[in-house]
Amino acid sequence: MATTKTTTTTRRSARGGTGEKSTRRQNAEKGFVAPKQLGENLQAVLVDLLELSMQGKQAHWNVVGRNFRDTHLQLDEIVDAARRFSDTVAERMRALHAIPDGRSDTVASTTTLPEYPQGEIDTAETVDLITVRLEAVVGTMREVHDEVDEEDPTSADILHAIIEALEQLAWMVSAENRKPTARS
């Protein structure tokens, strides 16, 4: 004996008593849609964050020398942050009906980060290389920031938080190679 499942749409009054509202679908395809340039700007940030996470892992696996353990662990912190931030940016893009592209060929062909050297790298050089890459990602975000802010202040707020965190990581990593300034 076959049964038929009946789906009913529940209707309820909207707040304020202005009429009925369907609760079956909660604005799944409505709302703010990213203009083309906003999507492109967020895509530029996304590929640099993805590349930072890959290069950070490359550095993590191949760093050698003095202060190895601290540098090795700090690189994982950078990788974790870059992965979290890339996910945040990609999901923001999807919320705005833009399509993120994190495919390896897209990342490799569009990132602003310089290629990371192959092989073992001394800790001091690794610190400098990663600092340059952190600053490059921040540079991309600062470059697109004003256009993003003009189109969508909420997306700009996301960039603000990421910039703050990456600049702090760059400061902490680069401090490894800094010499104290002369005392007066």
Side-chain angles (χ1 to χ4, degrees):
M1 173 183 202
T3 59
T4 305
K5 184 176 180 181
T6 306
T7 304
T8 58
T9 301
T10 306
R11 297 206 180 265
R12 62 186 169 102
S13 295
R15 292 192 175 213
T18 59
E20 290 186 14
K21 177 181 176 184
S22 171
T23 58
R24 191 171 132 227
R25 206 165 169 199
Q26 298 293 319
N27 296 328
E29 296 302 322
K30 296 180 183 173
F32 181 73
V33 175
K36 184 178 186 235
Q37 189 60 49
L38 176 58
E40 289 173 359
N41 285 334
L42 292 175
Q43 176 67 26
V45 171
L46 176 64
V47 297
D48 277 2
L49 287 167
L50 291 169
E51 182 68 12
L52 177 63
S53 72
M54 288 187 287
Q55 288 195 22
K57 218 37 170 164
Q58 179 69 17
H60 169 86
W61 295 323
N62 293 297
V63 65
V64 295
R66 286 182 169 249
N67 212 16
F68 162 80
R69 182 170 168 69
D70 288 340
T71 306
H72 184 77
L73 295 174
Q74 193 169 39
L75 288 166
D76 261 347
E77 290 175 14
I78 292 166
V79 168
D80 290 345
R83 286 180 178 162
R84 269 192 333 274
F85 299 150
S86 65
D87 193 51
T88 299
V89 170
E91 288 180 357
R92 179 65 185 160
M93 291 175 73
R94 291 303 298 145
L96 301 178
H97 307 286
I99 307 295
D101 188 351
R103 297 173 300 159
S104 58
D105 59 332
T106 300
V107 173
S109 66
T110 60
T111 186
T112 65
L113 275 62
E115 184 176 343
Y116 199 83
Q118 184 177 354
E120 291 183 338
I121 311 278
D122 179 72
T123 52
E125 185 180 357
T126 297
V127 163
D128 291 341
L129 290 167
I130 291 301
T131 300
V132 164
R133 280 140 183 88
L134 285 163
E135 291 171 347
V137 177
V138 169
T140 296
M141 286 190 278
R142 289 188 177 281
E143 185 177 307
V144 303
H145 174 271
D146 289 348
E147 287 182 17
V148 169
D149 192 36
E150 192 171 303
E151 295 289 341
D152 180 32
T154 303
S155 293
D157 287 347
I158 291 169
L159 295 185
H160 295 154
I162 296 171
I163 288 168
E164 177 190 12
L166 292 182
E167 286 180 338
Q168 183 178 27
L169 286 168
W171 160 64
M172 293 178 89
V173 171
S174 67
E176 224 22 77
N177 287 347
R178 285 195 53 225
K179 304 286 184 232
T181 55
R183 296 182 192 166
S184 349

